[in-house]
Amino acid sequence: MPVRLKDSESIEAIISEMTLEEKAALVIGASPFRTKPLEKYGIPALVVMDGGTGYNSIQAEQEHAFRAYCKRRISAGIPVSEDEFPEGDECLDTNKLSLLARGAVQAPDLGEMIAVRPVLPLGCYPPGMFLGATWNPEVIERCGKALGREANACGIDILLGTPNVNIHRDPLGGRIFEGYSEDPCLVSKLAPAFVKGIMEGGVVANVKHFAANNQEKGRRGINEHIEEETLREIYFPGFKACVEAGCATVMAAYNSINGSACAMNKWLLTDVLRGEWGFEGFVMSDWGGAYDEVEAIAAGCDLIMPGPRTTAPLVTAVREGVLPESKLDDAIRNYLKVLLMTPAVKGHLTLEDIDPEEGKRAAYDAACEGITLLKNDGVLPLAEGNKIAFYGRHSREMIASGEGSAEVITSLNTNVYDCAAKITDVTFGEACEDTDVIVVTVSAQGQEFYDRESMAMPEEDRIALEEATAESKSLGVPLVVLMNISGPIDIVDWEPDASAIVCEFFPGMQGGAAMADILFGRVNPSGKLPLTFPKSYDVTPTKDNFGGDGIELTYAEGINVGYRYYDKHPEDVMYPFGYGLSYTTFEFGEVSAKSEGDNIRVSVDVTNTGSRAGSETVQVYAAEPIKALKGFAKVKLAAGESKTVTISINIADLAGTGSLAIGTSSVDLQPLA
Ligand code: BGC
């Protein structure tokens, strides 16, 4: 009787019993989103699917389609061999799969593993950029937990991209909406809260894409030249913080760094991740990103995704002495240790365990915390009863998340038009004589596979904005612009026409509800920008090298990413990092700083000097030699209320920096004595 997997001790016994072929099979996925079961040893398959914003039903259908295909082949007496899939990712051929999927989702016998169309409506949670704007780990953890529970109930064991901590290097990056911030400190203090929430939901978290996956152009293998100091200061800290928070899996990125593809990069995966940071979980490749499976396993990648993919190269490499068998053993040990933590072993929740209201509340509270008021001449909040004429398609079809692996299809998305209609009289696309205010939503798409071409808004939104502006002028009523965007857009030209500008990024399923409540002052906005909005693309530090030639790329700006660069070029900034307005006003009292053990504790009394409750985010920066956020705290204050806010900063985090400054954005700062 072979040993069966039951605890960490059984792992060694299993490894010593496994054949080379079995070992090679276990480190390669079985299908698009599933790993291989080895029933003989009691090793179950794991469902490994996206993602960070919700249950990805498109991937579930792909998985079903693939399995349906295999079943049909097997029942026709033609077994599917992994040798048909030398590279693995051919099984992701979307055209083929979607054809198959049509058959698969109708077939009654295929619902065995994942609920393709779960009976419950599942949620779309805000993607990283929006969560970055909340500056509030508590709402992030709650979203993570609700999402983790939903994924768990849908049969998922490892939820991919929970979180995506890639830095906002350039405004045009197609996937920057998935990442938290341009700033490594903000990422490191927020993203771990998502990891914790996901784990509370009972599934295993996954941080991606390690490392420096900052563009879509040439994403498979583009060779990025990045100085080590830049990697360590800007691109690594978010990963390290998630590993320290217990994130048990890391996805290696598609790109290469300094000549070595991330999934085949020993320095990255073994020396830094395991050696320096003490990572004890397992590393998986991005889908099709282990370009050479032998090199990947040798470098410290533990699971090659997706499958099926031939095991022959691994078996041959071991037989010929090119790959030590101990490397396969290491991969299996790392993988099985994490497998023991998954619902596949511990048991899954069921859909009956899920309360959709809980998820909606978490998403709503996050939406209220992240929507960011950028301009307000006093028009907001609107008086209840004010009649609104809405413009722009996205006023009625809010973009809750971007496209690609972060895309979620759900019936739960809200939109500002419908939600405002519950509060007041609204029209769409036309203003009337008694219209009090015009509200137009403009957008910018965000998606995997493509970067944006420019910071221009789509043509249909430009036209809607022009119509809305013309109506506002002819009726003499104020114009409010809502930005439902994946990242910065060009604002300079139309900003003077707008009485108020509100950034909602991609706010998840409750964004419309939160936005309507903010318009009418039922909720006081408190989001702060997690990235700089430059005046135009031409002034960005990355304009000359973003994208590269699709093959080679130099991160010439080094650590001068985001406000670290704009600090020296203030004239180029439309809205700075850390900035966001409120319907109330705050004042700071005396600031003090004292060291206590390993920390410096910076304290300030903050008073809400206005007439409504609101939240302010106190931010502490190192002022020299380069501005760098070191800590922050968001505080909620009733009208007239004062509280002492204390921010603890680890002294080790201040190595090499000079004086500190405190304030409410990266530019609104006072020196700390
Ligand atoms: C994406 C990952 C994603 C994976 C699985 C890849 O194309 O880059 O972010 O998790 O596919 O869907």
Side-chain angles (χ1 to χ4, degrees):
M1 256 303 262
V3 192
R4 294 185 67 80
L5 181 70
K6 56 174 193 301
D7 50 25
S8 45
E9 268 151 47
S10 60
I11 293 175
E12 293 310 319
I14 290 174
I15 291 174
S16 63
E17 277 191 29
M18 284 172 102
T19 64
L20 175 57
E21 284 74 12
E22 284 170 343
K23 289 179 183 177
L26 197 61
V27 299
I28 299 180
S31 62
F33 299 101
R34 208 163 163 262
T35 66
K36 220 163 271 172
L38 265 182
E39 273 123 33
K40 178 175 163 194
Y41 301 107
I43 298 173
L46 298 182
V47 177
V48 182
M49 257 172 62
D50 284 294
T53 49
Y55 175 76
N56 190 317
S57 55
I58 301 163
Q59 291 180 357
E61 287 184 3
Q62 286 186 328
E63 178 66 29
H64 268 259
F66 185 78
R67 285 161 63 78
Y69 166 70
C70 296
K71 271 198 168 179
R72 279 181 205 162
R73 285 271 305 264
I74 291 162
S75 56
I78 321 166
V80 183
S81 148
E82 64 204 12
D83 295 333
E84 287 171 46
F85 299 92
E87 300 290 340
D89 44 336
E90 295 96 332
C91 68
L92 288 172
D93 179 336
T94 339
N95 289 334
K96 191 161 98 187
L97 281 172
S98 55
L99 281 176
L100 291 166
R102 276 185 217 142
V105 289
Q106 283 155 18
D109 60 334
L110 293 166
E112 69 235 3
M113 191 185 59
I114 310 173
V116 171
R117 296 192 190 287
V119 281
L120 271 184
L122 296 171
C124 177
Y125 294 86
M129 185 183 281
F130 187 91
L131 296 176
T134 68
W135 294 63
N136 182 334
E138 194 196 310
V139 289
I140 295 174
E141 185 172 337
R142 279 177 54 210
C143 283
K145 183 173 176 188
L147 167 58
R149 287 176 59 84
E150 288 182 8
N152 187 337
C154 287
I156 294 173
D157 296 296
I158 300 177
L159 193 60
L160 303 176
T162 55
N164 175 334
V165 295
N166 291 130
I167 290 286
H168 302 156
R169 174 174 180 254
D170 185 284
L172 304 184
R175 300 181 80 171
I176 59 168
F177 74 92
E178 293 182 36
Y180 278 63
S181 175
E182 70 184 19
D183 177 74
C185 172
L186 185 59
V187 178
S188 305
K189 297 210 185 282
L190 296 182
F194 203 64
V195 171
K196 283 190 198 129
I198 289 289
M199 295 192 305
E200 281 157 17
V203 291
V204 168
N206 168 261
V207 62
K208 72 187 185 185
H209 311 84
F210 191 48
N213 188 169
N214 305 112
Q215 65 179 46
E216 294 305 279
K217 184 171 174 187
R219 68 177 189 154
R220 285 189 177 235
I222 185 154
N223 184 22
E224 301 171 350
H225 301 273
I226 317 178
E227 284 173 5
E228 186 173 335
E229 179 204 7
T230 303
L231 285 168
R232 290 187 182 275
E233 259 193 55
I234 307 290
Y235 297 102
F236 282 176
F239 291 97
K240 183 165 183 261
C242 289
V243 164
E244 283 167 2
C247 187
T249 73
V250 171
M251 186 190 292
Y254 280 135
N255 49 282
S256 299
I257 295 179
N258 300 326
S260 171
C262 289
M264 288 139 60
N265 190 322
K266 177 180 167 292
W267 175 71
L268 198 63
L269 304 185
T270 299
D271 302 351
V272 174
L273 181 64
R274 286 190 194 279
E276 292 181 28
W277 303 348
F279 177 64
E280 290 185 343
F282 81 82
V283 175
M284 67 182 80
S285 70
D286 197 346
W287 268 228
Y291 306 115
D292 180 313
E293 55 275 75
V294 176
E295 276 187 48
I297 296 293
C301 178
D302 306 298
L303 176 68
I304 289 163
M305 287 301 287
R309 171 168 171 162
T310 175
T311 52
L314 285 175
V315 171
T316 310
V318 173
R319 291 232 167 91
E320 291 178 353
V322 176
L323 178 72
E325 192 165 345
S326 63
K327 290 283 177 193
L328 277 178
D329 296 348
D330 290 345
I332 290 167
R333 189 174 295 114
N334 295 333
Y335 172 71
L336 290 181
K337 257 195 307 189
V338 175
L339 186 140
L340 287 171
M341 299 157 58
T342 62
V345 170
K346 294 184 164 177
H348 280 278
L349 297 174
T350 67
L351 287 171
E352 284 76 62
D353 296 319
I354 302 302
D355 173 9
E357 293 308 316
E358 199 177 289
K360 279 194 218 166
R361 275 194 299 274
Y364 175 80
D365 290 346
C368 292
E369 293 280 311
I371 291 176
T372 308
L373 180 63
L374 298 177
K375 177 179 181 180
N376 186 15
D377 68 4
V379 61
L380 296 181
L382 304 175
E384 300 212 356
N386 274 177
K387 295 188 171 54
I388 308 180
F390 279 100
Y391 285 78
R393 177 161 65 89
H394 297 293
S395 291
R396 292 201 291 194
E397 291 168 33
M398 182 195 65
I399 311 174
S401 180
E403 291 169 28
S405 42
E407 184 173 353
V408 174
I409 299 168
T410 174
S411 58
L412 296 182
N413 286 347
T414 55
N415 67 75
V416 66
Y417 172 84
D418 285 341
C419 295
K422 293 186 190 137
I423 303 175
T424 190
D425 284 349
V426 295
T427 57
F428 184 80
E430 55 180 351
C432 342
E433 297 245 302
D434 60 351
T435 295
D436 295 299
V437 59
I438 308 248
V439 176
V440 57
T441 303
V442 299
S443 74
Q445 54 308 34
Q447 70 271 298
E448 195 173 328
F449 308 117
Y450 302 102
D451 299 313
R452 279 193 291 156
E453 279 171 14
S454 75
M455 277 176 29
M457 63 178 74
E459 189 58 9
E460 62 164 333
D461 291 344
R462 201 189 52 75
I463 293 168
L465 177 62
E466 265 174 29
E467 282 171 10
T469 309
E471 279 296 352
S472 124
K473 286 186 177 158
S474 82
L475 290 173
V477 297
L479 175 72
V480 175
V481 181
L482 311 182
M483 301 195 296
N484 187 193
I485 52 178
S486 58
I489 57 172
D490 291 321
I491 296 177
V492 175
D493 288 347
W494 52 265
E495 187 268 350
D497 297 324
S499 286
I501 302 175
V502 192
C503 182
E504 51 187 357
F505 297 111
F506 292 167
M509 61 178 153
Q510 285 290 310
M515 192 63 247
D517 287 347
I518 283 176
L519 284 179
F520 285 99
R522 294 176 173 192
V523 169
N524 191 349
S526 62
K528 297 273 187 177
L529 291 181
L531 76 169
T532 308
F533 276 46
K535 283 199 179 143
S536 68
Y537 188 67
D538 290 348
V539 303
T540 62
T542 42
K543 64 174 191 309
D544 292 330
N545 60 43
F546 178 66
D549 59 5
I551 297 166
E552 299 282 333
L553 167 66
T554 300
Y555 279 37
E557 74 288 352
I559 63 168
N560 293 301
V561 175
Y563 67 83
R564 285 166 168 73
Y565 169 83
Y566 293 109
D567 199 37
K568 310 269 175 340
H569 305 269
E571 68 287 357
D572 293 336
V573 174
M574 185 76 222
Y575 298 116
F577 172 84
Y579 166 83
L581 303 170
S582 167
Y583 295 154
T584 186
T585 46
F586 301 95
E587 257 171 36
F588 278 20
E590 210 166 300
V591 182
S592 66
K594 62 170 188 246
S595 27
E596 227 179 69
D598 294 341
N599 295 312
I600 289 187
R601 287 163 63 85
V602 180
S603 297
V604 62
D605 291 336
V606 185
T607 306
N608 178 347
T609 49
S611 55
R612 59 173 78 223
S615 297
E616 179 56 292
T617 301
V618 181
Q619 306 165 34
V620 176
Y621 292 81
E624 298 148 349
I626 189 164
K627 191 175 278 176
L629 182 71
K630 293 294 168 187
F632 60 88
K634 191 166 186 175
V635 59
K636 185 164 189 180
L637 296 167
E641 190 184 6
S642 290
K643 273 185 195 161
T644 305
V645 175
T646 300
I647 297 160
S648 275
I649 301 167
N650 198 291
I651 292 171
D653 284 349
L654 295 175
T657 64
S659 59
L660 296 177
I662 188 165
T664 56
S665 84
S666 59
V667 299
D668 188 2
L669 294 171
Q670 63 183 83
L672 216 127

